[in-house]
Amino acid sequence: MIDMYVYDEQQLISSRAMMMEVGKTNMELIRRKTTTTTNMNISSSSSRHGRIRRRRSMEVEKDVNDDDFQMSEVVDLSGLSMDALPNPLLNLTSICKLDLSNNNLQSIPESLTARLLNLTALDARSNQLKSLPNSIGCLSKLKFLNVSANLLTHLPTTIENCRSLEEVNANFNELSQLPDTMGFELHNLKKLSVNSNKLAFLPRSTSHLTNLRVLDARLNCLRSLPDDLENLVNLKILNVSQNFHHLDTLPYSLGLLMSLVDLDVSYNRIAALPDSLGCLTNLQKLSVEGNPLVSPPPEVIEQGLPAVKDYLCSNINGTHRKSSPRKKSWFGIGKLTKCGTFNGSTLSRDRDYFADGHGRSPSPSPGRYIGMFSPKRLFSPKSYLSK
């Protein structure tokens, strides 16, 4: 580790040149990553204290068979009470991580975002942002975006061009909607957190986020969930709690989320859980408190998750109540789709209908092999009323 203080750009350039020269002469000795941190002070009128502390980290990777250094910079401008960003920021194309959190920023310049071509992580939480620049769509390498605790009312539609995104945190904003088409392009998204907003619906394209592991949409105004959630074959955690007087039903497609481990639907207005939830063999935690549940009844819920699953599965097989054509119709289709008999023992273990074995949906469409077995067909009135 080499620590230095660079007070002007010329000295910074000279330091880098010296490091590269040392690396070339000692090529056989450098085999692991070396991190060189330089600190510099930049005068700026935008800072309350008149000076901005800026940390620049340069990661230098070298291998005996590699003649070029791979350099990246981490710029930390957090907690400086800035109202605006300093202009210009040096070497924007070399920045891989930018921390703007805990300031008073009301906007991020379009021209700045468009030049951060190698940015992989942007942290702009706890500011006063009312919108994000449309040029955020230029950040094709962006993987992590944190814009929580701001004043955002929407996300730009261009965010769908950030196809490398793996995690989006937009909690504690004023979002009333999400981009309609974001699910069609963000195939690498694994975590979507939009809790504590004003969302009434999730976009229909949410069902195309086939790599999604965590979906947190609690503390919103959700009135319903998309019907075709069965495409979220990798979803492990789903939290739609505390939508209070708005969410009163859950789609039957929740019972086809074979990877689901944790489901929280507490503090809503749900009177009946979908019977299909009894088929979730991997489900380990189910939170339903704060709902006016009738099915399952309170005495069953008090016995715990296994009892709830048994009750719901018995409903499907007609044990608790008289069998209906609807249940028979689903039972028959279940055999065709290799979903078992829905007797609570197991569901399909053949994920080939839903994914290619590597966590990705079959090309060209995530619902290519699922559409014909959609809950719309399994549970729609047409299915069980038709002869």
Side-chain angles (χ1 to χ4, degrees):
M1 179 70 68
I2 302 174
D3 295 324
M4 63 187 72
Y5 289 86
V6 183
Y7 295 93
D8 56 60
E9 186 65 14
Q10 185 61 41
Q11 189 172 350
L12 178 62
I13 295 174
S14 300
S15 299
R16 289 183 181 172
M18 180 182 66
M19 292 170 58
M20 294 181 67
E21 187 63 26
V22 171
K24 291 180 180 179
T25 57
N26 297 278
M27 184 173 60
E28 295 183 357
L29 299 178
I30 304 176
R31 292 178 177 271
R32 66 178 184 272
K33 179 183 293 187
T34 302
T35 303
T36 301
T37 304
T38 63
N39 297 313
M40 56 185 294
N41 294 322
I42 303 176
S43 298
S44 173
S45 59
S46 62
S47 172
R48 176 182 302 178
H49 306 290
R51 301 183 70 81
I52 293 179
R53 172 182 53 80
R54 178 180 177 187
R55 181 173 62 85
R56 299 165 61 95
S57 297
M58 180 168 57
E59 294 181 352
V60 183
E61 297 182 0
K62 185 69 177 176
D63 188 84
V64 291
N65 295 321
D66 185 10
D67 292 331
D68 297 322
F69 281 107
Q70 297 179 0
M71 300 181 184
S72 59
E73 297 182 8
V74 177
V75 177
D76 187 355
L77 298 176
S78 61
L80 298 174
S81 301
M82 293 188 302
D83 297 320
L85 291 174
N87 188 30
L89 289 173
L90 303 176
N91 245 348
L92 294 181
T93 56
S94 65
I95 298 176
C96 68
K97 296 179 182 179
L98 178 59
D99 189 349
L100 304 175
S101 63
N102 296 292
N103 283 294
N104 298 317
L105 300 176
Q106 297 185 18
S107 64
I108 299 177
E110 294 275 357
S111 57
L112 169 68
T113 312
R115 295 160 61 191
L116 296 169
L117 300 181
N118 290 305
L119 196 68
T120 60
L122 174 60
D123 188 350
R125 69 183 187 275
S126 299
N127 278 283
Q128 302 294 318
L129 298 175
K130 296 182 179 179
S131 63
L132 295 179
N134 289 322
S135 58
I136 196 172
C138 299
L139 307 182
S140 60
K141 297 183 180 180
L142 189 66
K143 293 184 178 181
F144 304 98
L145 175 64
N146 190 339
V147 290
S148 61
N150 279 284
L151 303 173
L152 299 175
T153 58
H154 67 282
L155 297 179
T157 56
T158 53
I159 197 173
E160 67 182 30
N161 295 325
C162 303
R163 294 181 176 87
S164 297
L165 268 176
E166 296 181 3
E167 181 175 336
V168 173
N169 186 338
N171 300 332
F172 296 100
N173 278 283
E174 298 181 6
L175 297 175
S176 58
Q177 62 180 2
L178 296 176
D180 291 335
T181 58
M182 64 179 295
F184 294 133
E185 301 294 340
L186 302 182
H187 301 303
N188 293 309
L189 194 63
K190 297 178 180 179
K191 183 176 181 179
L192 176 60
S193 296
V194 288
N195 75 60
S196 306
N197 280 283
K198 300 178 180 179
L199 297 173
F201 301 98
L202 295 176
R204 293 285 303 267
S205 63
T206 301
S207 60
H208 290 260
L209 298 172
T210 53
N211 275 313
L212 198 65
R213 268 70 166 172
V214 178
L215 175 56
D216 183 0
R218 68 184 186 272
L219 283 167
N220 277 282
C221 304
L222 292 178
R223 300 180 181 277
S224 64
L225 299 179
D227 290 333
D228 50 353
L229 291 179
E230 72 272 15
N231 291 352
L232 304 182
V233 293
N234 290 299
L235 191 66
K236 295 181 180 294
I237 299 175
L238 174 60
N239 192 334
V240 291
S241 65
Q242 302 177 74
N243 284 278
F244 298 106
H245 301 295
H246 302 283
L247 187 61
D248 56 7
T249 59
L250 297 174
Y252 269 83
S253 57
L254 288 183
L256 297 178
L257 298 178
M258 293 295 96
S259 297
L260 199 62
V261 174
D262 187 341
L263 175 60
D264 192 342
V265 296
S266 57
Y267 298 100
N268 287 299
R269 205 173 58 171
I270 300 169
L273 296 179
D275 294 338
S276 59
L277 294 185
C279 305
L280 296 178
T281 56
N282 290 320
L283 191 64
Q284 299 176 10
K285 182 179 179 181
L286 175 63
S287 301
V288 297
E289 65 271 16
N291 285 287
L293 279 174
V294 176
S295 176
E299 58 269 20
V300 173
I301 295 176
E302 290 176 359
Q303 298 176 40
L305 180 57
V308 171
K309 285 185 177 181
D310 289 342
Y311 178 90
L312 296 175
C313 287
S314 297
N315 281 349
I316 293 172
N317 289 327
T319 301
H320 284 299
R321 59 192 180 195
K322 187 175 180 180
S323 179
S324 66
R326 174 181 179 179
K327 298 300 180 292
K328 291 180 180 179
S329 174
W330 187 22
F331 179 84
I333 296 177
K335 288 183 177 180
L336 294 177
T337 59
K338 295 185 179 181
C339 287
T341 61
F342 293 94
N343 60 3
S345 59
T346 183
L347 277 177
S348 172
R349 289 172 292 183
D350 186 0
R351 293 289 179 84
D352 290 338
Y353 284 101
F354 307 104
D356 62 0
H358 299 284
R360 300 187 300 268
S361 293
S363 179
S365 169
R368 178 178 178 184
Y369 301 112
I370 307 175
M372 62 184 300
F373 305 126
S374 169
K376 293 180 181 179
R377 298 192 179 191
L378 298 180
F379 305 108
S380 66
K382 293 183 180 179
S383 296
Y384 65 82
L385 293 179
S386 59
K387 296 183 179 179

